[in-house]
Amino acid sequence: TVQLKDANGNVVGSYVSLERAIEDAQDGYSVVLLDDVSIIPKDNTFAFGLSAMITIRNDITIEFGEHTLTWDKTPYDTSFSFSTYPLFFSISGDVTFTGTTGGFNCELGSDASYGVNIVGGSLTVNGGVYMGGVTAIQVQTGTLVINGGTFGVSTSMAAAHPNEFKYIINAIDANWKQWETINIYGGNFAYDYSQDAENGGSYAAPGYTFTQNPDGTYGATEVSDEDAVVSVDGKKFIDFTDAFEYAAYSEKPAEILNSISVDGKLTVSDITIQRGSGFSGVMFSLGSGDELVLENVILDGTFSGTLDANAYMVNASNAAVTITDSTLKGNQDSAIYAISSSFTMTGSTVT
């Protein structure tokens, strides 16, 4: 049912039990499913309200291939009376999942269950199909990287909890950090993780976004040159607020690639903003009632070529601009232009 390979790809054991194969797997080993596998859920004593059937402490790869891990509910009548939720894997090592059409399915009827809980370890998913119940993968502490795969909800849980799909991939709020805890580079999901994934943030890796597929799912893709508005350290962003936050996080300059139209109030702090290569237009455009606040910002409008006509760093009409403790750099014709607007600048320099 299960094969164990060493770091050189040599077969070192064959097992009937997935649990035993993982228990014997040393760092660098691969556990290869040769058939579908079912596990009987048990009410183990475990932290965080979850009962882990398998704990992975070493740095291993699980190759699902075309085979699926499921729950075996036959020893029970209709439902469970567990005090905790069954969980396939608790991960404290550095683990990789691969698969084509295989993976795991948390289908357990009316009972909720989890696929993975990461506790101080890391998981990299490079393919496979993972159906949560509702949650497929949760990060308690540690990190998750998804490069590919399909992620959804088991049939029963999807029908019972159609509004909870955001928890297919989940992080514990108190431990989640943008661009550190979860980074998604690829795959298809039953939820759009580009927004409101956790505390209003995104699970998309820097320079990636989610687009809706024809079947209603969402695919993680790299932001294209055509859609990009701002670039930071070579990573392109559609949402300029995300870009500015990443610039502050990475301590790299934000390069404007297309004019930013401020809608409402935009506050930017503690970063450098400059023109991207080839961008010769207005950097920030404000209309009626809009407000731009720059705090401790270097706003660099210099350009090596010829700027467009009226290519101001800030073009405000019936708006408000407040600049504090900042530095403005600009070629001729690339200054602040404010008509019928409020303009306040304190503690700042213009060069």
Side-chain angles (χ1 to χ4, degrees):
T1 300
V2 180
Q3 202 172 65
L4 188 61
K5 294 182 179 181
D6 65 17
N8 296 317
N10 300 310
V11 177
V12 295
S14 296
Y15 298 78
V16 174
S17 166
L18 176 62
E19 299 96 312
R20 181 62 186 276
I22 290 175
E23 183 179 314
D24 288 353
Q26 302 175 29
D27 286 350
Y29 277 29
S30 295
V31 177
V32 183
L33 274 68
L34 302 179
D35 296 290
D36 294 342
V37 176
S38 294
I39 296 178
I40 298 172
K42 300 176 183 178
D43 198 5
N44 298 333
T45 301
F46 193 71
F48 316 121
L50 303 173
S51 292
M53 303 300 107
I54 301 174
T55 298
I56 307 177
R57 297 182 176 88
N58 291 335
D59 303 343
I60 67 171
T61 295
I62 298 181
E63 300 179 14
F64 290 99
E66 299 176 354
H67 305 294
T68 302
L69 173 63
T70 58
W71 295 118
D72 180 1
K73 196 178 178 181
T74 55
Y76 302 92
D77 292 331
T78 56
S79 64
F80 301 97
S81 57
F82 288 173
S83 59
T84 56
Y85 296 113
L87 163 72
F88 284 133
F89 301 108
S90 173
I91 292 178
S92 55
D94 295 330
V95 177
T96 300
F97 285 175
T98 67
T100 53
T101 57
F104 60 69
N105 191 325
C106 295
E107 176 61 50
L108 202 54
S110 60
D111 295 285
S113 68
Y114 287 61
V116 171
N117 191 40
I118 302 170
V119 187
S122 69
L123 174 62
T124 300
V125 182
N126 292 330
V129 179
Y130 307 94
M131 298 290 116
V134 170
T135 298
I137 303 174
Q138 174 172 279
V139 183
Q140 190 83 31
T141 57
T143 60
L144 170 64
V145 172
I146 298 177
N147 295 313
T150 299
F151 302 83
V153 179
S154 63
T155 301
S156 297
M157 286 291 105
H161 302 279
N163 298 319
E164 296 185 11
F165 283 18
K166 71 174 292 184
Y167 299 109
I168 296 168
I169 307 297
N170 187 48
I172 299 303
D173 291 3
N175 301 329
W176 177 76
K177 294 182 179 178
Q178 180 85 51
W179 301 302
E180 293 184 17
T181 305
I182 298 175
N183 281 299
I184 298 177
Y185 295 88
N188 292 296
F189 303 79
Y191 184 80
D192 180 2
Y193 288 106
S194 64
Q195 54 188 352
D196 195 29
E198 202 76 40
N199 299 330
S202 169
Y203 288 165
Y208 286 74
T209 188
F210 286 82
T211 56
Q212 191 166 25
N213 299 318
D215 64 359
T217 61
Y218 296 87
T221 58
E222 190 170 10
V223 174
S224 67
D225 292 341
E226 293 77 13
D227 293 333
V229 176
V230 180
S231 175
V232 181
D233 196 27
K235 301 171 179 65
K236 298 179 177 64
F237 293 81
I238 296 172
D239 188 322
F240 55 82
T241 58
D242 286 347
F244 294 152
E245 290 175 5
Y246 185 69
Y249 167 81
S250 63
E251 298 182 345
K252 301 290 185 180
E255 299 185 358
I256 295 180
L257 307 176
N258 285 292
S259 182
I260 292 174
S261 296
V262 176
D263 183 11
K265 182 177 181 179
L266 173 64
T267 300
V268 185
S269 305
D270 305 317
I271 64 170
T272 295
I273 303 173
Q274 60 194 39
R275 293 184 184 276
S277 176
F279 176 62
S280 57
V282 174
M283 297 175 75
F284 291 94
S285 179
L286 289 75
S288 179
D290 296 331
E291 182 178 0
L292 175 65
V293 178
L294 303 180
E295 300 172 342
N296 192 32
V297 167
I298 297 175
L299 183 60
D300 187 351
T302 58
F303 186 68
S304 58
T306 302
L307 288 169
D308 298 346
N310 303 319
Y312 307 110
M313 290 188 288
V314 178
N315 187 353
S317 176
N318 296 293
V321 179
T322 302
I323 302 174
T324 305
D325 300 327
S326 297
T327 299
L328 308 183
K329 300 178 181 180
N331 294 337
Q332 184 180 4
D333 298 332
S334 62
I336 309 295
Y337 181 79
I339 184 171
S340 301
S341 299
S342 167
F343 177 72
T344 305
M345 186 166 69
T346 58
S348 301
T349 59
V350 179
T351 62

